[in-house]
Amino acid sequence: MTKLVARFGFVFALLLAVTLACPGTAFAKKLNVVTATTDLAALAQEVGGEKINVNSIAKGYQDPHFVEAKPSFLLQLRQADLLVVVGLQLEIGWLPPLITQSGNPRIQVGANGYFDASQFAEILEIPSGAITRAMGDVHPLGNPHYWLDPENGRRVAKGIVAKLGEMDAEDAAYFQQRYQDFARRLSEAEKNWDAQMKPFRGRKVVTYHNSLPNFAKQFGLEVVGFVEPRPGIPPTPSHTLDVINMMKRDGVKVIMVEPYFDRKTPDAIARETGGTVVEYLPSVGGVKDVNTYFQLFDYDIALLTKAFQ
Ligand SMILES: [Zn+2]
């Protein structure tokens, strides 16, 4: 019996070794894609279909700026053929040491399997002049929440398709086909989203974190203030008072809050201003039934239109 187990163990180890040594061969047909966030995983899944395995490190209900590292992340990264990151230093607080510690040469920064999705997206709020983190700004290279504009989802998906086709040339046509289908479905969905948001174009909102410039641009909202005094800096009494006064003066009634922030300050602002707190989702997987890139916009737009009515 022991001998048998030992023998199985040996065969298993051999298979594992062959699989790890030959990514892309018959032993490991599917590319292992690891993404920093769920939105990138959703986009990769759209175009990769059944030819890839996709795992996101951060969960959709977590603040992507601050993710607590777990040993299981290292295991995922060790086996990855491709790592897709948001970039613009969104993940700087947690991902770089994991990449290094994974010891996986395929996904090190600059390697063929390291993919920075921000290079494909339209980036807003790129600062001019000297960049300093002294003020605690977590958006030093421009706004990293760019996936909340469907056009950027399209662009990033297109970039991922090119990369997948390069890594798995045999399935390049399959990936292309899936991208075409995704882009077509996205265009249809966009018509629907635009129609729903059309009556509310020009509406002013306050958001907790500065997560929504791309979304606001796409759907015609005006973000006039933030609960955080600066991105990544918790609310202060004096800043909160300024926000309340501004909202009263300008008749702003909607406060959009990401699910991972404390509701105390936004709830207090809502009470003072007669406004409504909308707990919107910045990412796929923020709640149980939002599992695709499409469902993310469906969910948020339904919430917003209800709040505006
Ligand atoms: Zn941010």
Side-chain angles (χ1 to χ4, degrees):
M1 185 64 190
T2 324
K3 212 170 168 183
L4 194 67
V5 171
R7 195 159 163 184
F8 266 118
F10 173 73
V11 172
F12 177 73
L14 190 69
L15 272 176
L16 190 71
V18 171
T19 307
L20 290 177
C22 316
T25 68
F27 287 102
K29 186 64 192 150
K30 290 187 178 190
L31 286 172
N32 278 326
V33 179
V34 173
T35 65
T37 64
T38 52
D39 310 285
L40 296 175
L43 291 170
Q45 189 67 73
E46 290 284 352
V47 295
E50 59 189 23
K51 303 289 184 186
I52 64 169
N53 295 314
V54 195
N55 264 308
S56 168
I57 295 180
K59 301 295 172 224
Y61 48 79
Q62 288 179 308
D63 183 343
H65 287 292
F66 306 100
V67 175
E68 205 184 321
K70 286 194 204 159
S72 61
F73 298 164
L74 277 181
L75 201 67
Q76 287 181 37
L77 288 170
R78 239 167 242 158
Q79 294 166 352
D81 299 308
L82 177 64
L83 171 64
V84 184
V85 304
V86 174
L88 305 175
Q89 299 197 2
L90 177 87
E91 306 99 336
I92 197 166
W94 53 277
L95 191 55
L98 290 174
I99 295 175
T100 310
Q101 284 163 39
S102 78
N104 179 349
R106 295 188 295 275
I107 56 153
Q108 298 300 311
V109 179
N112 195 39
Y114 180 89
F115 182 96
D116 180 345
S118 70
Q119 294 182 356
F120 296 86
E122 180 193 27
I123 305 303
L124 303 177
E125 303 172 351
I126 297 174
S128 50
I131 294 163
T132 165
R133 295 179 74 86
M135 296 289 288
D137 196 340
V138 290
H139 297 168
L141 303 179
N143 196 289
H145 304 273
Y146 55 79
W147 65 87
L148 285 162
D149 171 357
E151 177 55 28
N152 275 342
R154 185 183 278 107
R155 290 184 184 201
V156 168
K158 196 171 185 181
I160 293 174
V161 160
K163 176 54 82 173
L164 291 177
E166 175 196 311
M167 297 181 84
D168 174 8
E170 237 175 77
D171 292 313
Y174 169 87
F175 297 134
Q176 265 307 328
Q177 161 73 39
R178 286 196 64 101
Y179 169 72
Q180 298 300 338
D181 182 58
F182 167 72
R184 184 185 52 74
R185 286 183 291 122
L186 191 61
S187 297
E188 272 169 30
E190 274 180 295
K191 277 183 210 152
N192 180 21
W193 296 328
D194 287 341
Q196 287 182 66
M197 289 297 286
K198 200 173 169 206
F200 310 111
R201 288 189 85 86
R203 290 288 180 109
K204 292 175 176 174
V205 298
V206 162
T207 67
Y208 194 110
H209 182 75
N210 183 8
S211 303
L212 285 169
N214 295 84
F215 183 92
K217 185 184 174 214
Q218 176 62 25
F219 295 110
L221 300 179
E222 201 184 327
V223 180
V224 291
F226 310 103
V227 177
E228 288 179 329
R230 288 179 66 80
I233 302 293
T236 60
S238 68
H239 177 73
T240 300
L241 196 61
D242 288 346
V243 171
I244 290 169
N245 289 336
M246 178 273 293
M247 286 179 67
K248 281 180 175 167
R249 191 188 65 221
D250 295 349
V252 183
K253 292 290 181 195
V254 170
I255 308 151
M256 298 177 69
V257 178
E258 297 79 358
Y260 35 80
F261 289 119
D262 190 346
R263 283 283 294 263
K264 206 176 99 203
T265 304
D267 283 344
I269 295 173
R271 273 196 307 277
E272 287 294 318
T273 58
T276 311
V277 172
V278 175
E279 200 171 301
Y280 82 101
L281 295 185
S283 281
V284 173
V287 296
K288 201 167 63 175
D289 296 327
V290 175
N291 297 309
T292 69
Y293 192 64
F294 295 90
Q295 287 167 348
L296 179 64
F297 290 97
D298 285 343
Y299 185 92
D300 285 337
I301 287 170
L303 273 184
L304 262 179
T305 52
K306 194 168 158 232
F308 285 141
Q309 267 158 8

